[in-house]
């Protein structure tokens, strides 16, 4: 190229003007999607406030729904409309300044979508430095979308689990294929040996076994979990005292247990993988009999997001492990993107988090109070995005060493605007000023609500307690030094030793899940019997120092369910002191997207869906399949009447629709007033 050519100055200026106008238009185009998405979201939110019903959409805009508005008025797909709103929300969650600073040029909408990529979420959970690198690339105009996605794929490939497994939720399960994979895994050595020895008799028997895989009897065969068969020590835990103690306890219980040490992958990450010959259900059952010991690199405590259209107070989970040895057919963890059963070796790190948590909890409830008063309404569950705000607030308060009321209120006062902006709520500056003035009042009112850490949201920790000693750690290392913290242990396991050995100090609540014995035997395999569960409750009531909560969930709808649950309540009332139980939870089966397919893959003999007429389709708001309302109302009212004759305990619904509470005569308003200070109290 000849860079020394003589140029016409007037034409050069013309091209320069055109180039500058193109750059300006490019910036305007980049921002236009943000303005478009913002307006679209405001319209939808406004319609939600007047009532997202067909009559309102038709009356105001001449269409029957938001989906129809996108397709008819805007001539675009409804999916694209939702994608725009999602991208807008994700952008402002990360960079709220884009909403008000018009001088900023946002990334292209297709690039912003990466913020919602499940692979990026996996990086945030397991590798914060890699997450930050991708986030920087998203907001760096010199990095293209392709470059960013390519880098994300590269970093993600180094992670310890396969995110794509979470996408496997459609289509029929090919059970013969699954059984063939299992058969080869179990018989591979025998087949190879028969071929080597040219033993036609053995080979014929093995081949006949393959033909038998097509029979109904084989395809409905029931797989039972026989307990932990192997312990895998990840590289991050190989030198820990905890790993050595787990090995010693495991070998004392089973001298034949297999102990495996893994290597180290790229960027010093733990190598964790299933045997290459296993797929699908094979991986699932391998996980159930395998305990991984590794160091947890992210926070142990997190605020639960309370997904779905439900009534639920602020729930805070303490994650000492993940996944569960038990094999309950309906368990939602089957759809989890993380597919390993973990116990974490660095339990000492939990102490620092727990020491700050009562301040974090009250601060989070205070933000909830602010949002409620700004909206002038009482929320029935976590306000939008509050769980994310709480999780980030937790880390910030730990980093800053905020451990008292004065410091917490000071921090909230200085940062309130940015905190509530992330909760996607509109407000006037004058209203915000008033809320800052009321922060101390809100904080003091929320201090009266006790902090309960759920230690078994993601795992029934008692199922591996003889090996892991996680409950021991809570009772001996955490409970004595944190008087402001209480612990809730939800379980189907009647393992008594830690409870009978240590004092619960009236700050440990055992939430025992109960169902008729027929349901336990059929759908809750690998858990304790009903008699053993009730026996543990009885012994704890005799001992004292522990609170008791009962959960009758999920209640299963089937022929003769009334007789079964009536017998259950009678048996419970005879076995334990039912009047002294503080709270009772009733809940129904609920199926998140993909769960039904996972159940049928992992438990092909399961008959939960034998009569699909029992189930209603998931709504867009709830995203959960459930029994039809009439079935649930009938079951709840039946149990409320039965239990009302035996106890004055508070009865609540677990993860149910708000309107369901009123339909069965329960007071959701009182339930929430006992959990957080809100507008109107």
């Amino acid at each position: 190229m000849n860079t020394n050519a003589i140029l016409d100055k007037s034409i050069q200026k013309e091209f320069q003007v055109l180039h500058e106008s193109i750059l300006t238009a490019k910036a305007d185009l980049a921002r236009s999607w943000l303005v478009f998405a913002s307006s679209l979201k405001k319209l939808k939110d406004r319609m939600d406030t007047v009532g997202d019903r067909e009559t309102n959409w038709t009356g105001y805009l001449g269409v029957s729904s938001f989906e129809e508005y996108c397709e008819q008025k805007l001539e675009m797909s409804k999916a694209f409309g939702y994608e725009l709103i999602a991208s807008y929300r994700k952008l402002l969650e990360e960079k709220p300044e884009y909403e008000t600073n018009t001088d900023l040029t946002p990334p292209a909408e297709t690039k912003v979508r990466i913020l919602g990529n499940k692979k990026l979420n996996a990086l945030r959970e397991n590798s914060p430095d890699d997450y930050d690198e991708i986030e920087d690339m998203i907001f760096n105009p010199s990095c293209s979308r392709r470059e960013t996605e390519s880098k994300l794929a590269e970093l993600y490939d180094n992670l310890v689990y396969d995110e794509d497994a979470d996408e496997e939720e459609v289509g029929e399960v090919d059970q013969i294929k699954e059984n063939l994979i299992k058969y080869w895994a179990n018989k591979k050595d025998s087949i190879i040996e028969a071929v080597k020895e040219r033993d036609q008799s053995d080979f014929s028997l093995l081949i006949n076994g393959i033909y038998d895989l097509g029979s109904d009897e084989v395809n409905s065969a029931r797989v039972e979990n026989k307990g932990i068969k192997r312990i895998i020590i990840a590289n991050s835990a190989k030198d820990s005292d905890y790993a050595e103690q787990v090995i010693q306890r495991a070998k004392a219980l089973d001298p034949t247990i297999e102990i495996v040490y893994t290597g180290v992958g790229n960027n010093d990450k733990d190598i964790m993988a299933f045997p290459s010959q296993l797929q699908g259900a094979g991986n699932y059952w391998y996980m159930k009999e395998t305990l991984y010991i590794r160091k947890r690199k992210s926070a142990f405590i997190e605020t639960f997001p309370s997904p779905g259209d439900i009534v639920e107070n602020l729930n805070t989970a303490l994650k000492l492990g993940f996944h569960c040895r038990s094999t309950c057919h309906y368990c939602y963890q089957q759809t989890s993107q993380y597919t390993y059963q973990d116990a974490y070796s660095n339990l000492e790190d939990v102490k620092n988090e727990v020491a700050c948590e009562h301040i974090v909890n009250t601060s989070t409830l205070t933000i909830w109070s602010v949002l409620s008063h700004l909206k002038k309404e009482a929320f029935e569950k976590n306000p939008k995005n509050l769980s994310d705000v709480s999780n980030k607030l937790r880390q910030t308060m730990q980093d800053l060493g905020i451990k008292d009321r004065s410091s917490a209120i000071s921090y909230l006062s200085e940062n309130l605007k940015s905190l509530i902006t992330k909760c996607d709520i509109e407000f006037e500056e004058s209203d915000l000023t008033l809320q800052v003035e009321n922060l101390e009042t809100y904080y003091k009112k929320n201090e009266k609500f006790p902090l309960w850490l759920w230690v078994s949201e993601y795992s029934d920790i008692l199922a591996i307690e003889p090996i892991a000693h996680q409950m021991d750690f809570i009772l001996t290392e955490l409970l004595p030094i944190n008087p402001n913290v209480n612990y809730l242990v939800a379980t189907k396991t009647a393992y008594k030793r830690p409870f009978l050995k240590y004092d619960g100090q009236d700050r440990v609540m055992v939430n025992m899940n109960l169902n008729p014995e027929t349901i336990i035997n059929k759908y809750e395999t690998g858990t304790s019997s009903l008699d053993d569960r009730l026996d543990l409750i009885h012994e704890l009531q005799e001992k004292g120092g522990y609170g008791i909560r009962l959960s009758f969930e999920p209640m299963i709808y089937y022929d003769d369910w009334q007789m079964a649950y009536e017998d259950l309540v009678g048996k419970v009332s005879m076995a334990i002191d039912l009047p002294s139980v503080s709270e009772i939870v009733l809940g129904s089966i609920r199926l998140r997207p993909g769960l039904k397919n996972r159940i049928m893959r992992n438990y092909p003999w399961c008959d939960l869906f034998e009569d699909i007429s029992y189930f209603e389709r998931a709504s867009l708001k709830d995203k959960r399949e459930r029994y039809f309302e009439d079935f649930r109302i009938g079951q709840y009212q039946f149990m409320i009447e039965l239990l009302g004759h035996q106890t004055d305990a508070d009865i609540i619904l677990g993860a149910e629709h708000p309107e369901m509470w009123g339909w069965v005569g329960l007071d959701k308003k009182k339930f929430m007033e006992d959990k957080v200070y809100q507008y109107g109290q």
Side-chain angles (χ1 to χ4, degrees):
M1 179 185 295
N2 183 4
T3 58
N4 296 317
I6 298 175
L7 301 175
D8 185 318
K9 298 292 186 181
S10 62
I11 296 178
Q12 183 183 30
K13 183 176 181 180
E14 180 183 350
F15 278 119
Q16 187 62 35
V17 170
L18 285 171
H19 175 61
E20 290 175 357
S21 67
I22 289 172
L23 291 179
T24 301
K26 180 183 177 184
D28 291 342
L29 183 63
R31 186 158 185 85
S32 66
W33 83 261
L34 193 63
V35 176
F36 181 38
S38 172
S39 300
L40 195 62
K41 181 179 181 302
K42 288 178 181 177
L43 181 145
K44 188 176 185 305
D45 288 349
R46 182 66 181 119
M47 188 62 75
D48 287 341
T49 63
V50 300
D52 187 9
R53 297 188 296 272
E54 182 177 346
T55 51
N56 286 328
W57 278 102
T58 303
Y60 291 116
L61 293 169
V63 292
S64 63
S65 65
F66 174 75
E67 291 81 2
E68 195 171 290
Y69 175 79
C70 290
E71 293 171 348
Q72 294 187 12
K73 298 293 186 180
L74 304 180
E75 296 183 348
M76 67 183 194
S77 71
K78 60 186 179 183
F80 183 54
Y82 282 115
E83 285 175 356
L84 280 172
I85 292 175
S87 295
Y88 173 76
R89 188 188 72 250
K90 290 163 189 165
L91 177 67
L92 296 190
E93 285 175 0
E94 299 297 328
K95 306 284 184 181
E97 58 268 25
Y98 277 97
E99 185 175 27
T100 55
N101 190 342
T102 56
D103 293 332
L104 294 175
T105 301
E109 188 270 330
T110 54
K111 199 176 179 187
V112 172
R113 289 184 196 177
I114 300 173
L115 290 170
N117 191 297
K118 291 184 178 181
K119 294 181 179 180
L120 186 61
N121 290 335
L123 288 183
R124 175 163 50 187
E125 174 73 14
N126 295 277
S127 184
D129 290 342
D130 289 344
Y131 173 84
D132 291 341
E133 180 179 350
I134 297 300
E135 186 182 55
D136 290 342
M137 292 181 71
I138 291 172
F139 291 97
N140 185 346
S142 65
C143 296
S144 69
R145 176 176 62 85
R146 289 180 182 271
E147 290 172 330
T148 306
E149 289 177 335
S150 177
K151 187 64 177 178
L152 172 59
E154 175 190 335
L155 295 175
Y156 173 77
D157 285 343
N158 294 326
L159 276 184
V160 298
Y161 64 89
D162 179 12
E163 175 70 15
D164 290 336
D166 197 44
E167 298 298 324
E168 183 193 341
E169 58 179 51
V170 296
E172 294 290 327
V173 176
D174 188 344
Q175 194 56 47
I176 295 179
K177 180 180 177 181
E178 293 281 347
N179 288 336
L180 183 58
I181 291 170
K182 293 178 192 175
Y183 187 85
W184 171 252
N186 293 328
K187 302 293 186 180
K188 177 178 64 175
D189 292 341
S190 298
I191 293 173
I192 293 173
E193 186 65 22
V195 172
K196 285 181 178 179
E197 298 295 326
R198 302 180 65 81
D199 188 329
Q200 291 184 342
S201 177
D202 283 352
F203 187 77
S204 296
L205 289 173
L206 291 165
I207 293 299
N208 287 337
I210 293 177
Y211 279 109
D212 289 339
L213 295 178
S215 71
D216 291 338
E217 181 179 353
V218 171
N219 288 331
S220 63
R222 178 171 174 145
V223 179
E224 292 286 2
N225 176 24
K226 302 301 183 183
I228 300 299
K229 294 182 179 179
R230 69 190 63 83
I231 295 175
I232 298 181
I233 310 297
N235 185 69
S236 62
K238 66 180 181 181
D239 298 322
S240 70
D241 292 338
Y242 180 76
E244 184 59 34
Q245 293 162 6
V246 167
I247 292 172
Q248 291 176 5
R249 288 191 289 262
K251 286 188 172 181
L253 292 170
D254 178 9
T256 66
I257 197 166
E258 182 182 2
I259 308 296
V260 180
Y261 290 86
T262 68
V264 60
N266 296 334
N267 300 321
D268 200 35
K269 290 186 172 64
D270 290 333
I271 293 178
M272 299 172 69
F274 292 116
S276 58
Q277 70 269 27
L278 297 181
Q279 296 180 22
N283 285 342
Y284 175 80
W285 288 101
Y286 182 90
M287 176 271 288
K288 288 295 183 180
E289 61 188 24
T290 304
L291 180 63
Y292 286 83
I293 308 298
R294 70 177 181 92
K295 179 179 180 180
R296 184 168 177 83
K297 298 178 181 179
S298 52
F300 283 87
I301 300 177
E302 66 177 35
T303 303
F304 192 66
S306 297
D309 180 23
I310 62 175
V311 175
E312 193 165 76
N313 58 295
L314 186 72
N315 283 334
T316 307
L318 173 60
K319 299 170 73 171
L320 301 182
F322 199 79
H323 271 302
C324 183
R325 184 185 68 79
S326 302
T327 49
C328 301
H329 296 192
Y330 47 75
C331 179
Y332 76 89
Q333 286 286 67
Q334 293 176 80
T335 62
S336 172
Q337 61 186 13
Y338 189 80
T339 53
Y340 302 97
Q341 183 179 181
D342 285 345
Y344 303 122
S345 60
N346 51 324
L347 293 180
E348 287 298 314
D349 294 344
V350 177
K351 294 180 180 179
N352 290 333
E353 293 188 37
V354 173
C356 297
E357 190 55 32
H358 70 288
I359 297 295
V360 176
N361 181 71
T362 306
S363 298
T364 301
L365 292 176
T366 300
I367 297 172
W368 185 328
S369 298
V370 170
L371 295 169
S372 174
H373 283 82
L374 284 173
K375 289 274 289 185
K376 292 182 170 54
E377 68 175 78
F379 295 103
E380 294 171 335
K381 71 165 195 172
N382 259 356
K384 188 175 182 181
N385 299 333
L386 181 62
S387 60
D388 291 336
V389 170
S390 178
N391 289 331
K392 292 177 181 178
L393 178 67
R394 178 175 294 107
Q395 186 61 58
T396 299
M397 288 188 156
Q398 289 171 13
D399 292 343
L400 296 177
I402 297 175
K403 296 184 178 180
D404 60 81
R405 177 201 296 166
S406 177
S407 300
I409 294 174
S410 177
Y411 177 84
L412 292 175
S413 299
E414 294 171 5
N415 297 276
L416 187 60
K417 182 175 181 179
S418 64
L419 290 169
I420 64 174
T421 298
K422 295 173 183 175
C423 291
D424 198 22
I425 186 172
E426 295 181 359
F427 57 88
E428 300 292 336
E429 290 292 335
S430 57
D431 294 332
L432 184 62
T433 301
L434 176 61
Q435 297 308 312
V436 172
E437 294 174 357
N438 290 334
L439 276 177
E440 185 171 359
T441 299
Y442 296 163
Y443 193 96
K444 289 180 178 179
K445 287 183 177 293
N446 284 309
E447 276 184 318
K448 71 179 183 180
F449 302 117
L451 164 62
W452 289 92
L453 291 182
W454 283 67
V455 300
S456 44
E457 174 61 43
Y458 303 102
S459 172
D460 186 341
I461 66 172
L462 293 183
I464 57 169
E465 180 64 14
I467 297 175
H469 274 210
Q470 294 164 330
M471 199 68 231
D472 263 46
F473 174 75
I474 291 171
L475 293 170
T476 61
E477 299 291 328
L478 298 182
L479 190 68
I481 62 174
N482 297 285
N484 295 315
V485 183
N486 307 279
Y487 299 88
L488 181 62
V489 187
T491 187
K492 298 183 182 77
T493 304
Y495 186 67
K496 304 175 182 178
R497 191 195 64 82
F499 301 119
L500 299 183
K501 184 176 181 180
Y502 303 110
D503 181 13
Q505 300 182 25
D506 293 318
R507 291 174 27 235
V508 175
M509 178 83 71
V510 176
N511 182 112
M512 184 59 76
N513 187 287
L514 300 176
N515 247 317
E517 191 71 55
T518 53
I519 299 301
I520 293 174
N521 292 335
K522 199 171 188 180
Y523 305 118
E524 297 177 359
T525 53
T527 67
S528 296
S529 68
L530 176 61
D531 286 342
D532 287 346
R533 298 183 199 186
L534 294 176
D535 186 50
L536 172 59
I537 297 172
H538 173 73
E539 290 198 44
L540 291 182
Q541 289 180 324
E542 290 287 308
K543 173 182 170 64
Y546 291 90
I548 300 297
R549 189 169 94 153
L550 303 181
S551 288
F552 295 89
E553 64 171 333
M555 292 185 66
I556 305 299
Y557 191 89
Y558 62 104
D559 291 342
D560 300 326
W561 68 266
Q562 290 173 305
M563 182 181 298
Y565 282 96
E566 185 173 6
D567 289 345
L568 173 62
V569 172
K571 190 167 188 176
V572 171
S573 66
M574 293 290 291
I576 70 170
D577 182 12
L578 190 52
S580 71
V581 171
S582 61
E583 191 172 68
I584 295 174
V585 185
L586 303 178
S588 185
I589 194 167
R590 43 198 180 271
L591 304 169
R592 59 169 55 187
L595 179 55
K596 186 188 297 183
N597 285 325
R598 287 295 173 87
I599 292 172
M600 297 314 299
R601 183 197 72 179
N602 298 331
Y603 304 93
W605 60 87
C606 180
D607 63 356
L608 274 173
F609 315 114
E610 197 170 62
D611 192 339
I612 60 173
S613 66
Y614 291 167
F615 291 89
E616 62 182 5
R617 295 184 62 182
S619 67
L620 288 175
K621 189 174 183 180
D622 187 49
K623 297 182 176 62
R624 302 290 186 276
E625 284 187 66
R626 302 170 182 263
Y627 290 137
F628 275 100
E629 289 175 350
D630 288 347
F631 294 159
R632 283 146 50 210
I633 291 172
Q635 288 195 314
Y636 294 153
Q637 289 180 334
F638 182 79
M639 290 294 284
I640 289 169
E641 182 177 356
L642 281 179
L643 292 165
H645 294 308
Q646 304 287 345
T647 177
D648 293 327
D650 290 334
I651 298 177
I652 65 173
L653 299 182
E656 257 294 358
H657 296 333
E659 58 270 23
M660 182 63 70
W661 287 64
W663 290 343
V664 299
L666 298 180
D667 191 347
K668 64 183 177 183
K669 181 179 179 182
K670 179 182 182 302
F671 170 75
M672 292 304 299
E673 286 178 348
D674 291 339
K675 304 297 185 294
V676 59
Y677 176 70
Q678 298 202 76
Y679 177 78
Q681 290 181 222

